[in-house]
Amino acid sequence: MPKLLWVSPLSVHDTTNASAAQWRNMLLSLKAREVDIVGLSALNFVQASGTSMFIDLDEKLKGNENSFNLNDNNINFIYMRTKSHQLGEMSSQEQRNFYAKFCAIINAFRPDVVMGCGTDMLSMVCFDEAKRRGLPTVYTLLDATPRRFNFPNIDVVITDSSATSNLYATLQKINAVVVGSFIPAVGIKQSAERTRITMINPTWDKGVTIFAKLAQMNPEAAQNYKFTVYEPVAGQLAQSLSQAHELGGTAPGFNKADLTHIEVLTADTPMQEVLAQTKVLVVPSLSFEGINTLVREAVVSGIPVLATNQIGLAESVRDAGILVEIPTYCLSDHQVIPRSEDMGNFVKGLTIALTEDFSERCAKVARRFDVNLSANRLAVTLKPLFEQRAGNNPQLLRNGSLV
């Protein structure tokens, strides 16, 4: 049976980290394909609420040992205790404990492959140790990894999107294998009254000025619908639009009357309720996008998407919506309001999304989101590494150099 050691000082069970959900699902898919797995992690989370999966965390932290075990679907995760739950606040001793445990697991478990993530020094030292002992290494490129990072001591880089793979191939000449997303797209049952044209997270880089301009123009096909924004943070819409300006000017481009055209939903509104009443999801992003989880949820729910033609959005939307080219001046300045004459394709796209039946197209695209397809691609990618049987390598038992 092939053996895999997962290593990352970030928690795999962080409920506030979308990447963590993918890491966990990757490991569960490999376990289902008869890979023996041990995970080494620490109690570091993106937000404090990310600990919610640890229902007995306080009890686990009462012991005197510097680690505890967590069984997750027959995968043994070894968690290193930390005083803080922020990666940047790990003490030198805690990092040494983590590294020592990593070396001990290699000696006892004898993995064939080491897989993980992290551009922090602790992660890099662990990958370096794995390579020093002749173990193949795999890096999961799913989050905001610095683009200057060149993946030292990594044999294979895997990612969830072609957009991310193309970005690193272009900028760093690094090839990343696209295995697909490991976030299941569940979908929601839509309400009979789908009255909303919805944008989520109305910020500059997400293209709020384009959405607000579309609402201001209020195309004929949209007049029986409500332009709606969902604010994860209260006041986002008003704050963003207060600094928006016309092309070539600095004066505010929207007034209070313009905002009355837009319904604002706050974070206490369940996202499922928002999507259930959405006729078209508008994603006018002006910045780089990888796999867009929200777009996937909309498509699986039969909701067409009107989006800008960013590579990652195109990869997520495919035939389940309309892609529109972004005015170049909007890319240069995210706070500038597009001119009415440059909104023609957005208006046309919204009209098509509102008037045509996208149910079959959404269903066809949704079938591509099957996590089992991603799991199969991951298994195929790792197969040559497992076949090296590096866990049988005699030099594997060399002691770690930093302990």
Side-chain angles (χ1 to χ4, degrees):
M1 178 182 292
K3 294 182 179 182
L4 182 140
L5 172 56
W6 169 268
V7 58
S8 173
L10 289 170
S11 173
V12 175
H13 299 92
D14 183 354
T15 55
T16 59
N17 185 351
S19 294
Q22 294 213 62
W23 301 332
R24 180 171 179 261
N25 288 335
M26 282 182 178
L27 296 176
L28 291 175
S29 75
L30 292 172
K31 183 66 177 179
R33 286 159 175 77
E34 299 186 342
V35 176
D36 193 7
I37 300 172
V38 170
L40 176 62
S41 193
L43 295 172
N44 294 311
F45 305 86
V46 173
Q47 299 177 24
S49 58
T51 63
S52 60
M53 192 175 291
F54 294 87
I55 56 176
D56 58 346
L57 182 58
D58 290 339
E59 190 67 28
K60 289 183 180 297
L61 293 178
K62 288 180 180 179
N64 294 323
E65 299 294 328
N66 60 19
S67 68
F68 65 86
N69 292 350
L70 172 69
N71 185 293
D72 182 0
N73 290 275
N74 294 321
I75 298 177
N76 181 32
F77 286 95
I78 300 171
Y79 268 92
M80 304 303 296
R81 292 189 173 95
T82 54
K83 289 183 179 180
S84 170
H85 294 331
Q86 295 295 319
L87 176 59
E89 297 178 2
M90 282 185 75
S91 68
S92 296
Q93 186 58 55
E94 288 171 343
Q95 293 187 53
R96 288 174 65 86
N97 291 342
F98 188 99
Y99 177 75
K101 180 66 73 173
F102 176 74
C103 294
I105 293 172
I106 289 179
N107 290 342
F109 182 55
R110 302 180 68 91
D112 298 304
V113 171
V114 172
M115 177 175 166
C117 68
T119 60
D120 58 284
M121 290 304 299
L122 179 57
S123 298
M124 293 175 67
V125 165
C126 289
F127 280 123
D128 178 71
E129 180 66 24
K131 288 300 295 178
R132 194 175 70 88
R133 299 197 190 198
L135 294 174
T137 53
V138 180
Y139 189 96
T140 56
L141 176 59
L142 303 177
D143 50 13
T145 299
R147 296 181 187 179
R148 66 183 181 277
F149 190 66
N150 63 358
F151 307 97
N153 299 309
I154 299 298
D155 293 305
V156 176
V157 179
I158 60 174
T159 186
D160 58 346
S161 76
S162 295
T164 302
S165 178
N166 292 338
L167 177 67
Y168 279 88
T170 301
L171 295 181
Q172 300 289 350
K173 303 297 186 276
I174 292 172
N175 293 321
V177 180
V178 182
V179 296
S181 176
F182 280 78
I183 296 180
V186 179
I188 49 93
K189 183 178 180 180
Q190 289 204 270
S191 167
E193 295 295 326
R194 293 185 291 163
T195 58
R196 288 173 172 148
I197 300 168
T198 305
M199 178 185 180
I200 309 296
N201 196 13
T203 61
W204 299 323
D205 63 328
K206 295 297 182 182
V208 66
T209 56
I210 293 176
F211 183 83
K213 184 67 175 181
L214 195 58
Q216 184 186 55
M217 296 175 69
N218 194 20
E220 183 178 353
Q223 291 178 7
N224 292 325
Y225 298 89
K226 292 179 290 187
F227 283 89
T228 302
V229 296
Y230 175 87
E231 294 183 335
V233 178
Q236 276 183 316
L237 178 68
Q239 181 179 4
S240 296
L241 294 187
S242 68
Q243 300 182 47
H245 58 87
E246 300 285 354
L247 181 64
T250 58
F254 293 109
N255 55 44
K256 290 184 178 180
D258 294 319
L259 298 183
T260 62
H261 290 75
I262 302 176
E263 175 191 30
V264 178
L265 301 178
T266 55
D268 57 355
T269 307
M271 181 61 72
Q272 288 190 340
E273 178 184 319
V274 177
L275 290 179
Q277 297 178 6
T278 293
K279 177 66 175 178
V280 176
L281 180 68
V282 182
V283 189
S285 182
L286 301 176
S287 58
F288 174 80
E289 295 272 357
I291 291 294
N292 189 299
T293 302
L294 184 63
V295 167
R296 287 159 51 90
E297 290 293 339
V299 170
V300 171
S301 303
I303 303 169
V305 180
L306 175 64
T308 48
N309 61 344
Q310 300 279 38
I311 296 176
L313 288 176
E315 189 176 353
S316 300
V317 175
R318 298 180 184 266
D319 295 329
I322 308 295
L323 298 173
V324 181
E325 187 173 355
I326 308 168
T328 55
Y329 55 85
C330 288
L331 289 173
S332 302
D333 181 358
H334 292 183
Q335 298 177 36
V336 71
I337 301 170
R339 299 174 300 190
S340 297
E341 55 265 37
D342 294 326
M343 289 292 294
N345 286 335
F346 285 99
V347 172
K348 182 179 179 181
L350 181 60
T351 300
I352 293 173
L354 288 170
T355 57
E356 293 189 8
D357 183 1
F358 275 78
S359 56
E360 288 188 12
R361 279 174 275 186
C362 284
K364 181 179 179 181
V365 172
R367 287 194 286 271
R368 296 174 176 262
F369 299 156
D370 187 348
V371 171
N372 286 323
L373 298 177
S374 299
N376 290 338
R377 286 190 286 266
L378 175 62
V380 169
T381 301
L382 297 184
K383 187 173 183 291
L385 302 183
F386 284 132
E387 288 178 343
Q388 296 178 29
R389 304 299 183 195
N392 296 329
N393 201 325
Q395 68 175 333
L396 200 64
L397 299 182
R398 294 167 60 185
N399 288 329
S401 58
L402 300 182
V403 178

